[in-house]
Amino acid sequence: PLILSIGAALTVAAALLRTWAAAYMRSDVVHDPRVHDTRLVADGPYRYVRNPLYLGTTLMAIGIATAASRSGAMVLAIAVVLFQYRLILREERALKATQGEGYGRYLAAVPRMFPTLRPRVPAGGTRPQWGQAVRGELFMWGFALIFVLFAATGSVRLLMWGCIAATAMVLLMRRGAAGETKRLA
């Protein structure tokens, strides 16, 4: 129970961190598979760590891994970290090419994955957009809630059906959002 409680706390922390980051980055950018390199976001959590979204995903994976076997937990954690690191390197190359010296200064000041306790760059004045951030991170919040309930009850059935329901809900929401975007275009 203690290990699952720690895992549940990590999943909630992951959802909080990702929501905070999405409030500054915008969820449409966060969930777009293309690299967006036209502007540098250096507000909110991006003042403490360069990749709060990837850090949040890693925390979520580690939290969920507490319910796996030791070997399963290791495989999950290592796979997620390697996948995230590959994405980080790709994004850094693109941002270096488009943002130049300003991004170089940001790289030197702000750590890649281990946040600092104090901001490393001054605030840029971007205002967070919390509503779209929460909507964009409902998937993470769904998994966090399900994992908290699993940690409290120990019900594997709840975990399984909750994950299926959270995934289905987000897929339906994204499908609805895509249809709305096409209708407005």
Side-chain angles (χ1 to χ4, degrees):
L2 176 61
I3 291 174
L4 289 179
S5 296
I6 292 168
L10 286 172
T11 63
V12 171
L16 283 168
L17 179 58
R18 284 190 54 94
T19 302
W20 185 26
Y24 286 91
M25 178 69 72
R26 291 190 348 258
S27 290
D28 60 327
V29 172
V30 169
H31 297 290
D32 190 341
R34 295 172 293 173
V35 173
H36 291 260
D37 58 4
T38 56
R39 73 180 182 106
L40 175 63
V41 176
D43 273 313
Y46 297 93
R47 296 175 64 205
Y48 301 85
V49 63
R50 288 195 314 250
N51 298 287
L53 292 161
Y54 296 140
L55 176 57
T57 300
T58 302
L59 290 174
M60 180 68 72
I62 293 168
I64 290 170
T66 62
S69 67
R70 285 186 197 135
S71 58
M74 290 301 293
V75 168
L76 176 62
I78 290 169
V80 167
V81 168
L82 290 175
F83 182 74
Q84 303 292 350
Y85 192 68
R86 183 184 66 79
L87 292 174
I88 289 168
L89 293 178
R90 184 180 92 178
E91 289 176 2
E92 284 180 354
R93 279 192 304 275
L95 285 163
K96 280 179 190 176
T98 60
Q99 301 297 315
E101 242 180 83
Y103 186 64
R105 287 191 299 275
Y106 180 72
L107 287 175
V110 181
R112 180 180 279 152
M113 283 294 282
F114 297 101
T116 61
L117 295 176
R118 293 182 301 189
R120 300 306 279 281
V121 294
T126 303
R127 300 195 51 90
Q129 298 173 0
W130 293 105
Q132 63 82 35
V134 170
R135 284 187 305 277
E137 294 303 313
L138 278 177
F139 184 71
M140 288 299 208
W141 282 107
F143 274 106
L145 174 64
I146 294 306
F147 202 82
V148 166
L149 292 173
F150 168 68
T153 65
S155 171
V156 175
R157 178 169 283 192
L158 173 72
L159 180 64
M160 180 186 70
W161 286 108
C163 289
I164 291 169
T167 302
M169 177 185 68
V170 171
L171 291 174
L172 289 171
M173 288 177 61
R174 285 194 181 154
R175 186 175 183 191
E180 181 68 18
T181 301
K182 285 180 183 177
R183 189 181 65 78
L184 293 174

